[in-house]
Amino acid sequence: MRIELERVSHTFGDGPTPRTVLRDVTLTLTERRIGVIGHNGSGKSTFLRLLNALIVPTSGRVLVDGLDTARDARELRRRIGFLFTDPDAQIIMPTVSEDIAFGLRRSGLSHEQVDARVRDLLVRFGLDAHAGHPAHLLSGGQKQLLALAAVLITEPLALVMDEPTTLLDLRNAAMIGRVVADLDQTVILATHHLDLLAGFDRVLVFHEGRVVADAAPAAAIASYRDLMDGER
Amino acid sequence: MRASSLGLFRPGHSPLHRLRPGTKLLILLVLGAASVVTQHWWWAVAILILGSMLAYRVAGWGVRLWWLQLRPLWMLLAFTAVVHALTSGWQRSVADTGTIVVLVACAALVTLTTPTTALVDTVVRLAAPLSRFGLDPERVGLFLMVGIRCVPLVAGLAQQVREAQIARRATTSTRAFVVPLVVRSLREADALGEALVARGIDD
Ligand SMILES: Nc1ncnc2c1ncn2[C@@H]1O[C@H](COP(=O)(O)OP(=O)(O)OP(=O)(O)O)[C@@H](O)[C@H]1O
Ligand SMILES: [Mg+2]
């Protein structure tokens, strides 16, 4: 998958207090594992939402395999799944298996095909014992697994994840980290859990809406730390 | 029971579970229409209340679950009851408050005994003729589903806001309750909307 940002800027609000959150970002991303780090409010979530066409940049273009997010949002979201921080906000159906199946409602697949895919994911994520259970009774880690399964059912080529482990305890965060490492898909992941980035191909450091470092994990994390020290 | 499981499907094998979703919706509709008439007689409403409790028993549960569906509304119910009792007498109070009780309890019973997917599929099927008027049946079903999803969501938020108030020893003023509740509900609605879009269910 090839993601290109061409001179992308984004400003929220056009009233008396507009807020420019991304400034002139130009990037080409082709790696399989891309990390995104930076302070609170540095623009990480905004950047990720752009990739999935949840927002359109106020200037510049975002291209995913040549598709422009401003024009081909629907097709693009079929290729890129999005995992949010709070699994509770993404769980839509009451029971575990219904929620996983939800993304295929309009897919035109038969009941049997949908069921087969749901079963595969339930087994793969160790949720098969909970298939018929109310989704809200799962633990935090299981909920995030459910949310991930619900995204994977549509077989996206890439996954964008916005701090998928922030609300989890250390054990569950590590577990999600392992699951993410095993995914076949391209992953673009923002996080404050820096150890998740071990083994990533490339890490972007955002600061005040700009990419201020773009390197392998160790080097990127080092410049993120420098940034923090510089502010002291 | 946590508010977040309010009205959510509970598996079972009762006659009510086995009834077709369309039939249950029809009964609910008839009950709604009938309430226009029955609310003139307090005793008819009283019978319906008892009937709704009985229906919970038939579904394999007790009066406790019946009450749990109504509890989030108790302030509204108490208010309606008192206002009617003072302005138009106790018969009217029983009839009007009771009608709300019956309809809420029965609507909750439908969602408690029917898997959401089955309910949504039924509504999508029933709404098929609407496509002639340019309405997308799938969207009608989705709308209903989001509605079902929002009841426990908002009830859960109400509980959280209430707890935060108690923790901070805030006043019991309505505004101190309603404002954070509305703000948080809107934020949740925003997140839910975004999740729907991200999962390919376009706006
Ligand atoms: N919908 C919006 N409307 C207005 N301002 C927004 C909106 N979304 C984000 N912002 C602002 O944009 C800035 C960047 O937000 P963003 O969510 O991209 O940061 P972030 O790097 O993800 O931060 P965090 O680590 O806290 O998640 C913040 O100052 C935020 O207040
Ligand atoms: Mg963020």
Side-chain angles (χ1 to χ4, degrees), chain A residues 12 19 21 39-46 163 192:
Chain A
F12 282 111
R19 217 194 139 89
V21 177
H39 298 316
N40 292 132
S42 56
K44 302 182 296 294
S45 298
T46 308
E163 301 188 30
H192 296 294

Side-chain angles (χ1 to χ4, degrees), chain A residues 49 52 54 74 77 82 84 88-95 98-100 102-103 105-106 111 132 136 150, chain B residues 2 4-5 8 115-117 120-121 124 136 138-139 142 145 149 191-192 194-199 201-202:
Chain A
R49 281 176 163 76
N52 206 38
L54 287 172
R74 200 179 272 258
R77 289 196 199 108
F82 201 110
F84 296 87
D88 279 313
Q90 348 176 28
I91 294 171
I92 293 167
M93 297 298 273
T95 63
E98 280 180 301
D99 192 64
I100 297 179
F102 179 76
R105 268 194 83 75
R106 307 187 93 164
H111 265 299
H136 66 271
Chain B
R2 298 235 319 273
S4 53
S5 63
L8 288 187
T116 311
T117 309
V120 172
D121 287 345
V124 170
D136 180 356
E138 181 71 28
R139 201 147 289 185
L142 195 67
M145 205 212 53
R149 173 79 174 81
L192 186 64
E194 207 173 34
L196 282 168
V197 173
R199 285 176 70 176
I201 309 299
D202 279 316

Side-chain angles (χ1 to χ4, degrees), chain B residues 100-147:
Chain B
I100 303 177
V101 167
V102 168
L103 292 180
V104 169
C106 290
L109 190 59
V110 171
T111 60
L112 279 165
T113 57
T114 320
T116 311
T117 309
L119 202 58
V120 172
D121 287 345
T122 303
V123 171
V124 170
R125 220 170 37 244
L126 292 177
L130 295 178
S131 60
R132 228 175 308 161
F133 307 106
L135 259 162
D136 180 356
E138 181 71 28
R139 201 147 289 185
V140 176
L142 195 67
F143 194 72
L144 169 88
M145 205 212 53
V146 169

Side-chain angles (χ1 to χ4, degrees), chain A residues 10-216:
Chain A
H10 193 73
T11 305
F12 282 111
D14 42 11
T17 53
R19 217 194 139 89
T20 300
V21 177
L22 288 179
R23 299 164 200 271
D24 202 17
V25 177
T26 298
L27 283 170
T28 302
L29 307 172
T30 52
E31 292 77 3
R32 270 189 72 241
R33 291 288 180 274
I34 297 162
V36 179
I37 55 179
H39 298 316
N40 292 132
S42 56
K44 302 182 296 294
S45 298
T46 308
F47 168 68
L48 296 183
R49 281 176 163 76
L50 284 172
L51 305 182
N52 206 38
L54 287 172
I55 51 181
V56 184
T58 38
S59 75
R61 292 202 300 169
V62 181
L63 301 173
V64 177
D65 286 341
L67 297 172
D68 189 330
T69 58
R71 280 203 315 270
D72 309 303
R74 200 179 272 258
E75 171 56 30
L76 211 136
R77 289 196 199 108
R78 242 196 293 280
R79 300 190 189 189
I80 305 187
F82 201 110
L83 191 65
F84 296 87
T85 310
D86 183 1
D88 279 313
Q90 348 176 28
I91 294 171
I92 293 167
M93 297 298 273
T95 63
V96 172
S97 53
E98 280 180 301
D99 192 64
I100 297 179
F102 179 76
L104 294 181
R105 268 194 83 75
R106 307 187 93 164
S107 63
L109 293 179
S110 73
H111 265 299
E112 291 73 34
Q113 286 169 309
V114 172
D115 284 347
R117 280 206 207 176
V118 170
R119 254 197 318 279
D120 280 351
L121 282 163
L122 284 170
V123 171
R124 178 166 157 204
F125 288 160
L127 292 170
D128 38 336
H130 303 283
H133 291 183
H136 66 271
L137 291 182
L138 297 178
S139 74
Q142 287 173 327
K143 280 185 194 170
Q144 198 56 290
L145 280 179
L146 167 60
L148 182 57
V151 173
L152 288 176
I153 192 128
T154 58
E155 302 185 338
L157 302 174
L159 281 159
V160 172
M161 307 186 179
D162 193 358
E163 301 188 30
T165 58
T166 297
L167 299 177
L168 306 182
D169 64 24
L170 288 176
R171 189 169 49 99
N172 280 310
M175 182 268 293
I176 293 285
R178 281 193 301 275
V179 170
V180 169
D182 287 342
L183 291 174
D184 296 326
Q185 280 85 353
T186 292
V187 171
I188 300 155
L189 175 144
T191 188
H192 296 294
H193 285 160
L194 301 180
D195 43 347
L196 276 187
L197 303 173
F200 270 48
D201 303 312
R202 181 174 176 185
V203 174
L204 311 173
V205 183
F206 276 77
H207 186 61
E208 292 173 357
R210 293 179 206 279
V211 179
V212 296
D214 178 354

